[in-house]
Every structure is written in structure tokens, then in C-alpha cells.
Amino acid sequence: MTFYYFVNCVLLTFGPLFFVYKFTSLSEYGSIWRCGIALFGYIVTQICKLLIIATLMAPALIWGYLVDVIGIYWVLIKQQKASLSQVKILGVAVGWSFGESLLTRFVDYYVNARSMQFDWKHMLTAIDANLALIQNICICCLLWLWSRGGQKLPVAIVILYFIALTAIGANLMLKSSLVLVLSIGTLFAVN
Amino acid sequence: MFVYSDAENILNSSSSGTLSAFFAMLTIIPILIAITSPLTVKASQELTVYRMQEYDFQSTTHGCRNSIMNLEAKTAQLVSHSFARKCVVVKMLHLIENRDLFDELLSESVAGGLLILIPPDFRDFTAEQEDGFLLLEKTLLTQTVQIPVYFAIETPELLSIYDEIELSSHGKRENISTSEKIFNAVVANGYQIVVGGSQASPIKNVIVSSIEGKLIGRGGEDQNPTIAIVAHYDSSGSVPGLSFGADSDGSGIATLLELARIFSKLYSNPKTQPAFNLVFLISGAGKFSYLGTKKWLEDHLDNSENTLLSESVFTVCLDALADVENNGVINMHVSKPPKENTSAFSFYKRLQTVGKRYGINVTMIHKKINLADENLAWEHERFSIRRLPAFTLSTLNSHKSLHRTTITDTYDKIDINSLTRNIKILAEALSRQLFYIDDEKNSQLVDSEMGVSESFVTSSLKLLTSTPRAQQLLLTTERGNSHQLPMLLNTLQTMLKKYVKEVNIYHYKPDKREPEIVFYEPTIAKMNAYNIKPAVFDLFLSVTIVTYFGLLYLFLIVSTFF
């Protein structure tokens, strides 16, 4: 039944992406192309990130996050055609998350989750993908607020979030509480 | 205040209510994750397992005929339970206490496979448990088993797997409610035991090597009669990969090496060179009717050019001299009691004389050769068959002693003191024989610098017991025209060469058409224990995910109304 487990993992990873696309205003506006650009942006950003790490020898996690944020900002602000802010934010977040899951998690599932050995790790990765989706939506929203309003609060939340994320490392429990704090912070910033 | 309302305006322009509700609901997911505790993550275990022995001897099959296993692990808690298509994991002590279970597991095809956990140290066994274990091994050595049987040494990891399996099979026994059953099925941790590789197959081109070393007497080989000292290097047990054979016959080889070391000093000086040839033979296939010795004898006796054994005084075979049974005697096992005027008899008398000084009784035990038996009882019988005077020295009272073929025969069991003492008696008696000394007093020949070195005996015995010495693990390989000795034999050859000038190797090959002996691989394998979940678990997982999706859908629909 190991293939079934693989299916479960894939379902939990990509299902929410589909749901967010399908049952929000994204699908109404036919934003598949928008998501595609975000996916492309994700790939370009990762390549740039690796190039920077390779040349500048700065493997610190925080720099990786910085490049990611710049990448998201670039896709969100510079590459998106005029549309509803909601569509823009969700489109980029969904596309970005899809790229992330497809290129980092899916391969891992395909190689390891189908093996005979059962491992909770893959289920945890799938849960992590859900957290990443929320995180990306929040980050996109905050960046968008920052670009429009010119205020300091959203960008402060983003910076604090990534500093905290660097500090806690790979603990899923802490990460989930941190994402919770981030989403509350975003809610506060939005209102 | 301006900035916030500004942001609000921006969001309001694009139905910001949706977003705020969206984020509000999103916060639920992390809470859900936070309250579900993360479960411990375990990686797949790769373990070294030792297969039960398998060989054909005199066209009779022995041992376990199968080697591949891909089965779910279960513990043998319920004897009445059928374990078909299951691998039964059982502790050795449990089997010793429940002989019926053991016989059932082996005789009928109740289980799909068997994995027996043995304690890392046999010293913890009580005398009763050890006797029980020896009897189990006897069964394993004689029976033919169709299922794969593997042995593994208990490690903390293995024991935790065992405990987990036991827990899950324990839960199924009790009368519990359906909901509990489902819960158990979901949280249960199963293990799939996998031993891959190819099916057990005969080892091709079996070559068993024996090492011979000669100390030539005064005036050359032809001028002197020969005394041979023989010990076999291989060990036997129910598990080849765990047969270290410290007493049988590691102690014999250690004695032989020590004698070679002592007497090489006598032979190196022309003034003390005795008028005897001393031949040392480290023989192979000793646990298989002494086929290595047989080959060596054929090469010497059926070859007219070889005159080494044409005048043989007697042959001393050594087997189990470390006294693991605490008999406190040295037994001289003979096929025919030597007549009073023979050298063998005088050697016996000399042994008794020397033994008395150390408080050791030397007795003679007479047992006729039974050619109908599958195995010859003692090594000297090979010589007796060829009408050469020979006897075996051993501390064991009977050739049937189970201590000769057991995996409990490890270095820890050896009492080095009694082994050294026995070597002393033997060396002194032999030196008296070489120089015709019949004094009642201490001859002082084997003393001080000529004395038996306990450290040498210890180190050679440690070397011998550092690796399993089952014959199938010590086969010579042939490359073109040259023979490649296994590592241990190479070392033994080097050691012998250091003391004895002339060292020869004899290779025994079984008959091509009707081989006397067939060995099977593998003996040592890699086993994987995969942590598996029942299908119910995956189903449960799917239901959970779908429920989560349902909630997500509802929330997305609801959020669009704001």
C-alpha cells in the first residue's frame, strides 16, 4: 500500500493549491497565466539564489529568505498586469507555492514515499507544504501592502518573521505557531 | 491612523472582506497542527543476519534450504496461531523454554520464515539454559528445514522492533471494542522483514586447503621416523556465520602453533636436533569426516616418492583441549588400544607421568571406528583406517559431546590457564618422547625460554576466534593456476612458516560428479526491517485529508460571501 501513501502525500500537498485556485476569485479571472509567471519567477529566483550562494559563499538561511522575498516582490509588483489586488496576491502565492512543492517535495515523494519503509517524514512534509502556502499568501499580502501604502509595519512583520524562522530551524511545531503569528500579524496589518 | 485606513481602502477596493476572512480562517490550520503531536520518526533498519547452516554431506541434505524472505514480522506469542506468510521473530531464550514451539515452527510449515534473536553473550546463560541451547542446536544441525531461518544478535534497535511487534500482536488478542480495534490498527507499527539477494545456491569450485609444516630430524627426512601433530582449523555450529569454535578446534590449532614454536628452537640447533621428523598439519574440513586429512594422507601414502609417512611413529590429533566441560582430564581417544611395546603406548605412559605432576589424569578411551556413521568420530580414525598408529588428545570424554559443534563455543568460554597447562603437559611428554627420557623427575626441557608462553597461546587463540571459522567461509579460491588462500589460512601459513622451514599446502576438491560435500551460500546476509503501516492506516489518512479538504472548501466558499 505504499503507492497509496504516496498518493495521500501528493493529495495533501497539492490539494489545497487546487482548492485555493478553484474556489476563490482566481479561477473567475482565469489567472492560470498569472500563476505560471509566478512559477517561472520561483525558478529564476532559486537559480539566482544558488548562484549567489555559490559565488558569495553566504550560506546563511536568512540570505536565502531575503532572495526569496526579493523574488516574490519582483514577481508581484513588476510582473503582474493590472488586476484586482486579491487576484494578484493569491495568484503569485499559489504559483510560487506550486513551484516550491513541485520542485522540492514532489521529487522526494516520488523517490522515497513509495518505498516499503513507512516514514512520517513525508506526511510532515505535506503538512509543511500547507504551512508554506499560508506563509506565501501572507508574505505576498504584506509585500503588496508595503508597495502600496509606503508604511513600515508590513515589511517589519516580514523581516521579523524570517528572522524568527531562521532562529527556530526545522521544527514543524514551532514553524506552525510562527505561521500562526504571521497570519495574525497580516490580519492586523490588513485591517 | 491614516496609514491603516489607507490600506483598508486599498483592500476594500478589491473586496477586502474576503481577504480578512481568509486570513482569519487560515489561522485555524496552524492551531490544528500545533495540537496534533508529531510522531517519532524511525528509519529503516539494516541488520546483519546469519543464516542457519546448509550443506549436503554424503548426499544427505542438512539445514535450511531457503534464503529469501519478504514477510511481515510477528512474534510467537500464540502457539496455536498460524503464521503462514509471516516471519516469526523469536528470542532464543523463549525457544529454549518452549521446545514444543520450536519443533512446531520447524517441522510443519507453520511460519513463512524464522528470525531468532540470540543474546550477544552466552555467558549469561545458566547451565540449564545452555544445555537446552545445545540440544536446540543439535536439532538444527540434523534437520532439514524448508523455510528460511536466520539468526541475529540482539541489539537495542532489534529489541525495540521486537517489543513493538509484540505490542501490536498483544493488542489483537484481547477482547476490545471495534473502535479500539480500528484505533490500534491505525497506530500499529508493523515491520516487513526483507532478505533479498539470490536464492541459496551451491558454492561452485569448492577447495578445502590444509597446511603442512615439517621440522626435519637429524640427518635428513629419509633417515628419521615421523611424528605427526594434527588439528583441524574449521569449526561447526548451527550458524556458520557465528561458529567461532574456540575450543573445537581453536584450542587444537593454538596448541599446534605453540608446539611448533617450542620445538622449532630445538630443531634449529644441530646439538639438540632430535632424531625424529616432526610434521604439523593444520587440516581442513575437520567437521566433515576429516576430508582434508584424508586428502593429505592419500597424497602421502599413495605417492611412492613421498616417504614422510613411510615410517610413522605415531600421530597426535588435537581436539578441544581447553576443558570447557571441566572434566579435569586429558583423554587419549584410540580406535585400537596400543600394545605395550609401541611408541604410542610409551607416549601414553609419559603423558601420565607428566600429567600426574600437574594433577591431571590421563586416561585412554577406546572406541571402534564405525564406518556406517556419517561422520568419523575423531580425527585419528582417518589415520587408523590407513593403519597408521594415531590417537586424539582431548579433554572431552566422548565424540558425541555437543560442545564440539556449537556457536556457544566462543573465546569467552575458554579458560586459558587450563589450556596452557594442557599444552605444557603435552609439550613435556613430547620432548621426553623425542629424547627417550623416562625419568620420573621434571625433565626441565620445556621450561623458561623453552616454556609454554601463555601470551602466545592467548594471542593465537584470539586470532583464531576473531572470525567465524565454518568451513564454507574458509574456502580457497582458484585463479588460473594459482590458489588464493582465505585470509585466516594465509595468516596461519605465515605463522607456521616463521617456525617451520618447510610449509606445503594441500588442496582438497570434492568429486565433480558425486561431491562428498556441497556448501551453500549465503551464510551471512543483510536484512532490512521496514516499518510498515496497515492498509487501514492509509485509508484513515485519506479520510482525514478529505475531511480537511471539505473544511477548506467550506471556508473558501464562506469567505467569498463577505
Side-chain angles (χ1 to χ4, degrees):
Chain A
M1 297 311 287
T2 51
F3 182 73
Y4 193 6
Y5 184 57
F6 166 73
V7 170
N8 273 336
C9 288
V10 170
L11 211 62
L12 187 55
T13 308
F14 294 99
L17 290 174
F18 172 76
F19 274 69
V20 170
Y21 181 84
K22 194 76 189 165
F23 303 111
T24 57
S25 42
L26 272 182
S27 55
E28 287 167 31
Y29 291 87
S31 318
I32 195 79
W33 183 239
R34 215 172 274 280
C35 295
I37 286 175
L39 173 60
F40 175 74
Y42 173 77
I43 294 167
V44 172
T45 311
Q46 297 314 306
I47 290 168
C48 290
K49 198 205 291 189
L50 291 175
L51 278 175
I52 291 166
I53 288 170
T55 47
L56 297 182
M57 283 191 16
L61 217 50
I62 190 85
W63 300 117
Y65 290 136
L66 182 67
V67 178
D68 278 346
V69 170
I70 293 170
I72 292 176
Y73 185 82
W74 172 65
V75 175
L76 185 67
I77 310 301
K78 305 289 176 197
Q79 301 299 319
Q80 296 289 312
K81 287 176 199 141
S83 177
L84 295 177
S85 63
Q86 190 190 6
V87 173
K88 277 190 187 175
I89 291 166
L90 285 178
V92 171
V94 166
W96 192 272
S97 300
F98 180 73
E100 205 177 348
S101 287
L102 188 72
L103 297 176
T104 62
R105 299 190 179 95
F106 184 74
V107 178
D108 181 44
Y109 296 154
Y110 190 76
V111 175
N112 294 321
R114 291 186 314 147
S115 83
M116 196 180 270
Q117 165 78 11
F118 171 81
D119 204 330
W120 279 105
K121 191 177 80 188
H122 304 112
M123 207 20 79
L124 296 181
T125 311
I127 293 168
D128 187 52
N130 284 267
L131 288 177
L133 175 62
I134 303 169
Q135 172 203 302
N136 287 337
I137 293 171
C138 293
I139 297 294
C140 285
C141 190
L142 288 168
L143 288 177
W144 193 81
L145 279 177
W146 182 56
S147 73
R148 287 301 148 99
Q151 48 190 321
K152 303 265 184 328
L153 182 68
V155 78
I157 293 173
V158 171
I159 290 168
L160 282 176
Y161 171 74
F162 280 115
I163 288 172
L165 198 60
T166 315
I168 61 161
N171 189 325
L172 196 67
M173 288 283 284
L174 287 178
K175 194 181 172 184
S176 64
S177 7
L178 199 61
V179 170
L180 174 69
V181 172
L182 175 70
S183 52
I184 292 169
T186 312
L187 210 58
F188 182 65
V190 167
N191 295 322
Chain B
M1 202 57 219
F2 164 76
V3 275
Y4 289 109
S5 56
D6 196 28
E8 211 169 313
N9 286 338
I10 296 160
L11 284 162
N12 274 337
S13 64
S14 56
S15 64
S16 71
T18 315
L19 264 181
S20 61
F22 192 82
F23 289 119
M25 293 298 272
L26 278 182
T27 54
I28 294 167
I29 299 165
I31 293 169
L32 280 175
I33 293 164
I35 56 174
T36 50
S37 63
L39 292 125
T40 48
V41 178
K42 266 186 190 158
S44 108
Q45 312 264 357
E46 195 182 65
L47 304 154
T48 306
V49 285
Y50 306 92
R51 198 163 75 95
M52 185 182 147
Q53 51 84 18
E54 177 184 12
Y55 63 90
D56 301 343
F57 185 49
Q58 319 274 22
S59 38
T60 324
T61 56
H62 290 263
C64 138
R65 315 305 294 181
N66 216 323
S67 75
I68 298 174
M69 188 152 74
N70 189 347
L71 303 162
E72 199 193 335
K74 284 273 176 265
T75 53
Q77 292 300 313
L78 305 165
V79 185
S80 56
H81 203 285
S82 171
F83 295 113
R85 307 288 308 137
K86 296 275 191 294
C87 170
V88 178
V89 184
V90 66
K91 283 184 183 169
M92 198 74 223
L93 281 176
H94 186 70
L95 277 186
I96 293 171
E97 283 154 19
N98 303 285
R99 264 309 293 256
D100 298 340
L101 170 71
F102 176 69
D103 291 336
E104 195 186 1
L105 284 174
L106 284 188
S107 59
E108 300 163 42
S109 46
V110 189
L114 196 57
L115 176 68
I116 301 173
L117 310 184
I118 54 174
D121 202 339
F122 295 111
R123 274 180 299 187
D124 303 337
F125 275 16
T126 61
E128 210 173 292
Q129 284 172 335
E130 194 177 334
D131 288 345
F133 182 72
L134 290 178
L135 284 172
L136 277 189
E137 271 203 282
K138 196 188 168 193
T139 317
L140 285 172
L141 276 165
T142 45
Q143 270 194 1
T144 308
V145 185
Q146 295 303 331
I147 58 168
V149 180
Y150 282 95
F151 290 75
I153 294 165
E154 281 176 8
T155 55
E157 296 85 32
L158 206 50
L159 283 177
S160 78
I161 292 179
Y162 180 84
D163 288 341
E164 239 171 296
I165 303 166
E166 195 175 27
L167 202 70
S168 60
S169 40
H170 180 78
K172 271 177 195 155
R173 249 193 316 176
E174 286 174 12
N175 293 323
I176 45 173
S177 65
T178 324
S179 60
E180 258 181 284
K181 260 182 197 165
I182 292 170
F183 179 75
N184 279 342
V186 170
V187 296
N189 254 337
Y191 279 94
Q192 188 86 0
I193 304 278
V194 180
V195 180
S198 53
Q199 184 58 269
S201 58
I203 299 174
K204 283 172 196 148
N205 301 324
V206 170
I207 303 172
V208 175
S209 301
S210 305
I211 306 167
E212 171 210 75
K214 277 187 273 190
L215 286 170
I216 306 298
R218 204 186 310 145
E221 191 179 316
D222 307 344
Q223 308 296 313
N224 295 300
T226 301
I227 295 176
I229 297 167
V230 183
H232 58 270
Y233 60 79
D234 59 320
S235 63
S236 165
S238 51
V239 194
L242 293 172
S243 305
F244 295 98
D247 189 27
S248 178
D249 197 18
S251 65
I253 299 288
T255 308
L256 184 143
L257 289 171
E258 178 64 1
L259 291 178
R261 190 184 72 86
I262 293 169
F263 286 102
S264 69
K265 288 180 186 167
L266 277 177
Y267 276 81
S268 62
N269 187 344
K271 284 178 188 164
T272 56
Q273 199 175 12
F276 287 97
N277 296 325
L278 214 50
V279 176
F280 298 94
L281 176 68
I282 299 175
S283 65
K287 299 295 184 190
F288 301 96
S289 235
Y290 307 101
L291 287 169
T293 318
K294 186 184 173 197
K295 163 76 178 166
W296 182 75
L297 277 171
E298 280 167 3
D299 281 5
H300 278 288
L301 294 175
D302 305 342
N303 185 349
S304 53
E305 283 173 30
N306 210 325
T307 54
L308 187 67
L309 286 180
S310 56
E311 202 185 331
S312 168
V313 185
F314 55 77
T315 300
V316 190
C317 303
L318 308 168
D319 199 342
L321 285 163
D323 203 4
V324 284
E325 287 181 355
N326 287 320
N327 293 328
V329 290
I330 298 178
N331 293 311
M332 188 188 218
H333 296 273
V334 289
S335 311
K336 198 175 117 193
K339 295 208 177 71
E340 288 215 3
N341 53 358
T342 58
S343 307
F345 191 79
S346 66
F347 183 68
Y348 171 58
K349 284 288 158 204
R350 286 184 171 111
L351 268 178
Q352 277 187 324
T353 314
V354 181
K356 208 175 282 168
R357 269 214 320 277
Y358 290 93
I360 292 296
N361 249 341
V362 180
T363 51
M364 194 183 288
I365 294 176
H366 174 215
K367 185 209 153 282
K368 279 187 182 156
I369 302 173
N370 186 358
L371 284 171
D373 271 358
E374 189 183 41
N375 249 317
L376 285 181
W378 295 103
E379 193 155 16
H380 71 261
E381 293 184 355
R382 273 282 165 227
F383 292 84
S384 300
I385 290 171
R386 301 302 298 253
R387 307 201 173 281
L388 292 172
F391 48 84
T392 299
L393 295 180
S394 172
T395 55
L396 303 177
N397 292 328
S398 163
H399 69 279
K400 283 176 185 158
S401 168
L402 296 174
H403 284 110
R404 293 179 75 203
T405 52
T406 174
I407 58 170
T408 60
D409 187 7
T410 55
Y411 180 80
D412 303 330
K413 290 260 171 186
I414 300 290
D415 177 16
I416 288 290
N417 289 331
S418 55
L419 177 60
T420 323
R421 181 198 61 210
N422 289 345
I423 298 173
K424 259 181 207 161
I425 295 168
L426 187 53
E428 206 159 300
L430 197 60
S431 65
R432 281 163 172 247
Q433 186 77 27
L434 293 176
F435 296 110
Y436 305 105
I437 303 166
D438 279 315
D439 222 333
E440 278 291 322
K441 282 183 228 153
N442 196 342
S443 73
Q444 302 287 342
L445 244 176
V446 184
D447 205 8
S448 63
E449 79 172 297
M450 287 286 295
V452 175
S453 156
E454 193 177 308
S455 62
F456 182 84
V457 175
T458 311
S459 60
S460 50
L461 200 57
K462 269 186 182 158
L463 166 79
L464 287 160
T465 52
S466 61
T467 49
R469 289 203 322 285
Q471 187 61 63
Q472 50 264 59
L473 295 170
L474 292 174
L475 294 174
T476 303
T477 44
E478 201 171 11
R479 281 204 200 113
N481 287 326
S482 67
H483 290 87
Q484 179 78 38
L485 286 179
M487 188 84 134
L488 184 75
L489 287 192
N490 239 332
T491 317
L492 288 178
Q493 187 194 9
T494 316
M495 280 174 88
L496 203 59
K497 241 180 205 163
K498 199 177 160 195
Y499 306 116
V500 180
K501 277 191 189 112
E502 223 184 305
V503 173
N504 299 310
I505 310 286
Y506 291 82
H507 301 292
Y508 161 75
K509 289 177 198 170
D511 192 53
K512 282 265 187 268
R513 281 187 196 154
E514 283 173 25
E516 293 93 337
I517 181 137
V518 181
F519 294 116
Y520 289 82
E521 335 177 77
T523 49
I524 300 170
K526 286 267 176 253
M527 182 198 85
N528 282 300
Y530 291 106
N531 189 354
I532 52 162
K533 287 278 176 190
V536 183
F537 172 79
D538 282 320
L539 208 63
F540 175 79
L541 210 58
S542 290
V543 170
T544 315
I545 291 169
V546 168
T547 317
Y548 165 63
F549 283 173
L551 287 173
L552 190 68
Y553 171 75
L554 274 178
F555 143 67
L556 287 170
I557 294 296
V558 167
S559 65
T560 48
F561 284 114
F562 284 98

